[in-house]
Amino acid sequence: MQTILRIGTRGSPLALAQAHETQARLMAAHGMPEQAFEVVAISTSGDRIQDRPLSEAGGKGLFTKEIEEALLERRIDIAVHSSKDMPTVLPDGLELSAFLPREDARDAFIGKVAKAIADLPRGAKVGSSSLRRQALIRRMRPDLDVVMFRGNVQTRLRKLDEGIAAGTILAYAGLKRLGLEHVVTDLMPLDGFPPAPGQGAIGIESRIGDRDVEKMLAAIHDVPTGQALACERAFLAALDGSCRTPIAGHAVIANGIVSFDGLIISPDGTQSHTVKMQGPAQEAARIGNEAARTVRAEAGETFFDGWL
C-alpha cells in the first residue's frame, strides 16, 4: 500500500513512542492500516549537542530546526513534538495544528540515595539541564549541588546508575510513555514545583493550508489540551520565554473555564513571582497574555534585566 502520511520525529525512544502514539490514533480515527504511515526519524542539533546547556547552544529551536526544514521541503507531512520543546515563534508556513490528550504534567524525581529531594544529604548532586528545574531545586534546597544533565531519558538514567548524580528530575509524562514509571521515587506537586509550559502534551506541526492533512489531524485533536496550551504558550511568548528564562506555567480546562498558574523565578531560586488567572476557555490565549503582563508588572523590568 502507498504511504499516505509521513510522520517526522526526533529519533530518541521517547520521541518515537510519541510518533507511534500519533500514528495509532490516526489509524483508529480513520480506519487505516499501519502501512499507510511512515515514521521518519530525523537527527536534530539538540540531540547532537551534549556538552553544554541549550541556552548556550541556541535554545529550544535546536530540537525542531531540522524537522521543520523537512516539513517545509515536503520530505515529511507532519512533525510530532514534545510541546514544551517548541519555540513560541514558528517558521513561516508552519503551525501547531493538533494536540493529543495531555498526559500528567508533573515532574518526577528519581533518587539513588534518597527517595525525595527533601531527604538528600547536604551537598548532594542533582542533575538537570532545565533552568526551570534547576531554579526550583535551588529554591527547595539551596545547599544542593545542581549539575548539568543533558541527554535523552535513557542517557540520564544511565548517568544516575554511574553515580554522576544522586538524583535527577524528568517529566512524568515521558516516563509513563516509555513504561518507566517504576523508576520514579517521588512526584513533584504542581503547586510547589510547577511544570514547563506545554509539559505532558504532544503537539503536531503541519504546513499551513495543507487541507488533507488538516482533515486527518482534526479527528485526533483534543480541544481542551489545545486551549490549555494556547494559554501556556501565550504566557511564554509574552514573557519572551526561551531556554534562558526560568518560567513555569500550567493551565487546566474544566466546564468551559481555563484556570492558569504561572511563575517566573531567578536562576538561583531566591526570587520568584506567581500569577493566577481564570476566564472563558475560548479566550485562553488572551488570558495567558494577560497573566504575563500582570506578573511582569509585579516583578518589574529590572527583575528580568538581572538574569536574562
Side-chain angles (χ1 to χ4, degrees), residues 126-134 137 146-150 156 165 167-170:
V126 179
S128 177
S129 61
S130 158
L131 290 189
R132 173 189 59 87
R133 289 174 180 151
Q134 291 175 359
I137 293 166
V146 183
V147 298
M148 191 185 77
F149 234 39
R150 285 290 314 281
R156 298 186 205 195
T168 191
I169 294 178
L170 296 170

Side-chain angles (χ1 to χ4, degrees), residues 50-68:
Q50 297 290 321
D51 61 341
R52 58 195 187 277
L54 284 181
S55 57
E56 296 178 8
K60 291 181 179 182
L62 293 174
F63 283 129
T64 60
K65 179 176 178 288
E66 287 85 355
I67 299 173
E68 289 173 332

Side-chain angles (χ1 to χ4, degrees), residues 42-77:
I42 298 170
S43 175
T44 71
S45 304
D47 295 309
R48 293 190 294 271
I49 297 171
Q50 297 290 321
D51 61 341
R52 58 195 187 277
L54 284 181
S55 57
E56 296 178 8
K60 291 181 179 182
L62 293 174
F63 283 129
T64 60
K65 179 176 178 288
E66 287 85 355
I67 299 173
E68 289 173 332
E69 288 172 351
L71 195 53
L72 288 167
E73 293 168 5
R74 297 183 176 271
R75 289 182 279 123
I76 58 174
D77 302 300

